[in-house]
Amino acid sequence: MLAGQPIIILRDNVDVTSGREAQHSNIMACKAIASAVRTTLGPRGMDKMLVSPSGDVVITNDGATILHEISVEHPAAKMMISVAEAQDDEVGDGTTTSCILIGELMEEANRLLAKGIHPTIIAKGYVLAMEKALEILNENAIVSKGEDRDLLVKVSNTAVTGKSIEMMRDIISAIVVDAVLAVAEKDAEENYIVDEDDVRIKTVIGDSLEDAELLKGFMIDKTRCDEGMPKKISNAKIALLSQPLEIKKTETKAKIKITTSEQMEAFSDSEKEKLKEIAEKIVASGANVVLCQKGIADAVQYHLSHAGILAIQDVPEKDMKAFSRALHGTIVNSVNDLEESVLGNAENVEEMKDIKATKFTGCKRGKIVTILLKGSNQIYVDELERAAYDAARVVMDALEDGKYVVGAAAIDTELNLGLHSYAATIGGRIQLAIEAFANIFEAIPNTLAENSGLDPIDTVVDLKSAHANGEKYAGINVFTGKVQNMYDEGVIEPMRVKRQAIQSATETAALLIRVDDMMIAKSSH
Ligand code: ADP
Ligand code: MG
């Protein structure tokens, strides 16, 4: 009936790529991203220098940072970058690994497609293999529930090894483990839980030597809003306010700094009264410190200052929440809601000497710590901060799960061999997909070897034969070039990092493989 009549379902500003071409395009994009980051894998990986359009320079070998900074066009590449970002958000490590795994899964899929295996079979085989991989991972996990300080330090060291700030490794690891243990809590089943926001990291640039310290409390990058206010308050009772401390419609045009009582005359009487009332209500509540998320009118500052109250304005909302938890106070909208019971408590609130910040220590709830990192230049402290952040995340992962795996390609080799034996029990076309999945884990030892100047083929052969002999912790010592027991060498990682990388890589690859049409709408301008 409709013969000869083309049915138009897409607007003409849509680019369509179909069939094998679409698959090929996605595969190539994923391989390109994987090869962009693979040279950074492992402690002997190289760094990348990234320059933003505005000329800012970042030097890093952190997969997440690299992917975050480079801008890509291809939709599959964009998906991969969001996988890496999710990996970073969820577990804080393993971004390079997840990208390499996706790249390998896509390359293996390419081979299978060329053999005429249907994408649905490949995707199904991948998902089946992933489930088995997670099982193998679990079976190989070293279980240690509780405060295993030694193991946690090793986890932190492994995360930090190879970063340009490695000379700070021992210092950072010790502080990070102390920090995480200080804020960890136990749930009803005696499992540890850690709230990521309770470990804060602050960097300071100064002439002082490279240094790090742990502050049992938190700090705000701001100081008292008026010079007349005290610099230090002991036994602090802290009012937390989310609304500005001012009168909505002010008649005074110019913002004047009020320092003398005469200047107060500039205000109309009724305004003066209202502003004074705000300050009086704060005083009446018993507060001696004010944290305000918005601005504080000068007249209010004047009165607070006279009452000996330390006030800080424009505290970011996210911080207000974390601080209210730590101080055990309630954030209120208005000074009318202030009373003793909503105030937070800290033993000391004090302006810091060498930096523009105020520190809060001896907080009521106690469960907040700040890792203070000092260095002499921005690029250095930034990398230091990323390292401490990654280390804190992996230590949290490990403490919460109590499950560890041996890195340096030891666990990857177990996965490779275990999945191959599993594939042999399956048969049919799906077996080929499972074998392909098993192969991807060779990419980790391969890449670690390559990045360390070792021969990848010889190394992988040695590694596999060690594992076939039951040495399940055998891995690549990238510093000596030998295959040896890497548990003894302390290369330990949280199981969660591997699990997340395997899961998200599989899900993404399975999704992309089934795509046979790409319809890209061009922007209308
Ligand atoms: P990712 O972004 O995936 O975390 P990394 O560059 O941090 O990438 O490298 C992680 C890999 O390096 C893991 O496979 C880990 O087991 C390995 N690795 C870490 N430390 C060592 C070490 N000392 N010797 C050998 N391999 C190591
Ligand atoms: Mg890492």
Side-chain angles (χ1 to χ4, degrees), residues 51-120:
V51 186
S52 76
S54 58
D56 292 336
V57 177
V58 179
I59 295 179
T60 183
N61 78 1
D62 185 65
T65 310
I66 297 165
L67 293 167
H68 190 76
E69 300 280 333
I70 57 176
S71 36
V72 294
E73 282 293 332
H74 197 283
K78 282 190 176 151
M79 264 179 77
M80 233 172 126
I81 289 181
S82 52
V83 168
E85 283 174 354
Q87 176 84 22
D88 201 37
D89 284 350
E90 302 278 325
V91 293
D93 196 15
T95 47
T96 313
T97 304
S98 68
C99 285
I100 292 178
L101 294 181
I102 299 179
E104 293 294 311
L105 284 170
M106 296 302 280
E107 182 158 11
E108 290 288 335
N110 202 22
R111 282 196 311 109
L112 297 172
L113 289 168
K115 283 190 192 162
I117 297 177
H118 197 273
T120 321

Side-chain angles (χ1 to χ4, degrees), residues 40-43 93-97 158 407-408 444 448 476 478-479 491 493:
T40 69
L41 186 81
D93 196 15
T95 47
T96 313
T97 304
T158 303
I444 305 296
L448 284 176
I476 306 171
V478 294
F479 299 107
V491 179
E493 295 172 286

Side-chain angles (χ1 to χ4, degrees), residues 443-458:
I444 305 296
N446 252 318
T447 311
L448 284 176
E450 258 169 41
N451 290 351
S452 321
L454 307 171
D455 184 278
I457 297 173
D458 291 348

Side-chain angles (χ1 to χ4, degrees), residues 130 172 222 248 251 283 322 341 402 417 431 496:
M130 173 194 81
I172 289 197
K222 293 182 188 295
K248 293 246 162 55
E251 282 153 29
V283 177
S341 68
L417 297 174
Q431 172 174 347
R496 197 192 287 186

